[in-house]
Amino acid sequence: MDCMIHRQALSSKTLPTLLQSTLDEIIQVVNFIEGSALNSRLFKQPCEGMDANHQLLLYHTKVCWLSKGNVTKRVIELRDELNLFFQESSMLEFLSWLNDAEWIIRLGYLTDIFGQLNKLNLQMQGRNTNIIKFVDCLKAFIDKLGNWKRKVAVKNVGTFENLDMILVENSNQIPSSIQLAITAHLKRLEEKFRSYSLK
């Protein structure tokens, strides 16, 4: 069963180029701060000053794919603090990403989809997990992917909480390029999970 879960983890590595480049940039932002003790201490200051729920980012590791969901969630929660930190540090490249409406929309989607994959992984583990429960979870997730894909194709993103919140905050509709990337990603995920469920 662990091998099957590992296969599901690998299927999360199906991001289209647009989303993969955003994920790489998110990781650069996090690693810039958390890879330096000085930057990490300096970042705590705006977090404390703005009464943030968190005072640090979560360091990303390629070894643990589950960390992607936690990393993106923390970035979305601390984006105002990150914005202030990079303004004060004059890190214009990172600042440009955080002020790019489409980049934030992509961040919202990545946070949501990795959160869903993390949730699936947790459902498939534990002492009471057996092959029947595993297959049921897998089939239910495949159905969700198909449903999400159909909804995103008509610009309905209500099932993606962070993505929907960002669009509502900015009174935006999802840009076509991002809509296509998300639809392609959901389709690839669905295909991967279906192929694994048949093995």
Side-chain angles (χ1 to χ4, degrees):
M1 197 115 55
D2 287 340
C3 179
M4 293 173 79
I5 291 170
H6 181 62
R7 285 181 177 173
Q8 309 318 323
L10 291 176
S11 75
S12 70
K13 298 178 179 180
T14 53
L15 291 170
T17 305
L18 182 65
L19 296 173
Q20 183 61 55
S21 64
T22 303
L23 180 60
D24 293 342
E25 290 161 358
I26 292 164
I27 293 166
Q28 283 180 54
V29 165
V30 171
N31 290 351
F32 175 79
I33 294 174
E34 293 304 314
S36 158
L38 175 62
N39 286 342
S40 189
R41 279 195 310 273
L42 290 173
F43 181 62
K44 282 185 180 179
Q45 293 172 356
C47 292
E48 290 170 352
M50 297 172 77
D51 290 328
N53 290 332
H54 309 287
Q55 295 183 0
L56 57 97
L57 295 166
L58 297 176
Y59 201 67
H60 172 261
T61 170
K62 287 185 179 179
V63 176
C64 180
W65 71 275
L66 282 168
S67 74
K68 288 181 177 68
N70 298 327
V71 167
T72 55
K73 186 172 190 274
R74 188 62 60 91
V75 168
I76 213 165
E77 290 171 349
L78 292 173
R79 60 191 161 132
D80 292 337
E81 291 79 5
L82 284 165
N83 216 320
L84 181 60
F85 175 78
F86 289 129
Q87 281 176 22
E88 292 174 353
S89 307
S90 298
M91 294 298 298
L92 301 181
E93 184 178 28
F94 294 154
L95 199 56
S96 70
W97 295 339
L98 288 163
N99 287 299
D100 180 338
E102 291 194 9
W103 194 87
I104 295 295
I105 291 169
R106 294 191 297 269
L107 168 63
Y109 169 72
L110 290 169
T111 302
D112 291 327
I113 197 63
F114 284 124
Q116 290 292 339
L117 288 165
N118 287 357
K119 186 176 169 185
L120 173 66
N121 190 60
L122 289 172
Q123 288 173 343
M124 293 179 160
Q125 295 181 31
R127 289 183 185 161
N128 298 325
T129 302
N130 56 43
I131 193 69
I132 295 167
K133 182 178 177 187
F134 184 93
V135 170
D136 285 347
C137 286
L138 191 54
K139 285 181 179 176
F141 193 73
I142 290 168
D143 289 344
K144 282 182 184 178
L145 286 168
N147 187 38
W148 295 339
K149 184 181 65 179
R150 286 187 294 277
K151 287 184 175 181
V152 172
V154 293
K155 298 196 174 193
N156 178 349
V157 296
T159 52
F160 296 107
E161 182 182 350
N162 289 289
L163 173 57
D164 190 48
M165 175 191 69
I166 289 163
L167 290 171
V168 168
E169 280 176 6
N170 298 301
S171 302
N172 282 336
Q173 279 213 348
I174 189 166
S176 295
S177 60
I178 299 175
Q179 177 194 13
L180 291 172
I182 292 172
T183 305
H185 183 232
L186 294 171
K187 182 180 178 185
R188 276 188 218 167
L189 276 176
E190 186 181 15
E191 288 167 355
K192 284 283 189 186
F193 277 100
R194 281 190 191 284
S195 71
Y196 293 144
S197 69
L198 296 173
K199 292 179 182 176

